[in-house]
Amino acid sequence: MRPVRVPAVASAVAALALVSGCGAAGGLESAGEAPSAVEPARLWPDLPPASAAPYDYGEGETARIPGITVPGGDVHRLDPVAVVQAGLKAKTDRDSGLDELPDATVRQIRACRTAPDDCPVLAPYYFDLTGDGRDELVLGIRMPGRQLAVRAYRADEGDRGDRSDQADRGGLTRIMSTSDAVISVELAGRDLILRAPSAISGYEYRTAWSWDDRQQAMLATRDEILRAPERRKDTGRDRTPSPSASATDGRPSESPSADGR
């Protein structure tokens, strides 16, 4: 099956060039015939559609965090360690299993108060991921094998004045939970970008997580494999800014990048 081509508008371009005095000083010059637009061609159109996703990626999964209230809907006022500890008892709206943490990491989280040096909860970051003018809380949790769990939390709508249901006022919902062997976590606009190593030398995976208003959760909207940026040979320093506060000290530096290594 050949692609269906849409006729180009080369004649209109030529007419415009004649009227404007093509070739005259300061006039318009033709760049040649415009390329034809090609309509996408569907391969094997008789194949039946898939009935289910090949695997559960955890996208769109949310969880209400029990026992956590958000004073004034301001996530800056929360204790990140308390949020992660309470999240160990959270029940997701569907069971992907991707929000679960290794047993060793769970033990470290529970012991964060008594053994803070071994606490795997990284310093918090605050960004408006949803575009509603209020910050969400973004946390990283170190795991064995240089893995990193990345989670985002949003104050419930009731405390933002959007709903009158008093039962939902002041609560906290986890709107994103994923983990990977992360090279870095970055903010681009309102998207969280996770970079992870690829099995192909010189390449890396980049996944963009974006807020979806219909799903009321962060979705993996773009997943790519790209050439890894070349490191400068004249410096061995890590140029990624590090947070300036501990996980219990409030807002760290304003850097939009958090290295998970």
Side-chain angles (χ1 to χ4, degrees), residues 41-200:
R42 182 179 177 185
L43 307 185
W44 306 294
D46 296 330
L47 286 177
S51 59
Y55 61 91
D56 193 342
Y57 194 59
E59 67 274 20
E61 187 172 271
T62 62
R64 182 73 177 271
I65 307 301
I68 296 295
T69 58
V70 188
D74 184 2
V75 295
H76 294 256
R77 301 169 67 179
L78 296 177
D79 178 350
V81 170
V83 169
V84 175
Q85 289 178 335
L88 297 176
K89 301 178 182 179
K91 294 183 178 179
T92 58
D93 58 348
R94 60 186 181 81
D95 187 17
S96 73
L98 294 182
D99 66 311
E100 297 180 358
L101 297 169
D103 292 341
T105 304
V106 171
R107 289 193 295 270
Q108 288 179 315
I109 291 172
R110 288 174 174 164
C112 278
R113 304 302 184 194
T114 57
D117 291 342
D118 295 327
C119 183
V121 182
L122 301 179
Y125 283 86
Y126 304 91
F127 305 115
D128 179 10
L129 300 175
T130 66
D132 66 353
R134 296 201 184 192
D135 282 345
E136 277 67 52
L137 169 64
V138 180
L139 292 177
I141 305 170
R142 291 190 306 265
M143 299 191 301
R146 303 184 75 175
Q147 298 273 322
L148 184 74
V150 179
R151 297 182 171 185
Y153 304 82
R154 187 188 193 211
D156 287 338
E157 294 289 346
D159 204 52
R160 296 163 180 246
D162 299 330
R163 298 192 316 200
S164 59
D165 185 357
Q166 296 296 319
D168 288 324
R169 292 183 64 84
L172 186 71
T173 296
R174 188 169 64 220
I175 58 173
M176 172 186 170
S177 179
T178 188
S179 61
D180 209 335
V182 171
I183 296 173
S184 70
V185 182
E186 303 166 357
L187 182 74
R190 291 192 286 110
D191 293 347
L192 287 177
I193 311 296
L194 273 64
R195 296 172 51 215
S198 165
I200 305 175

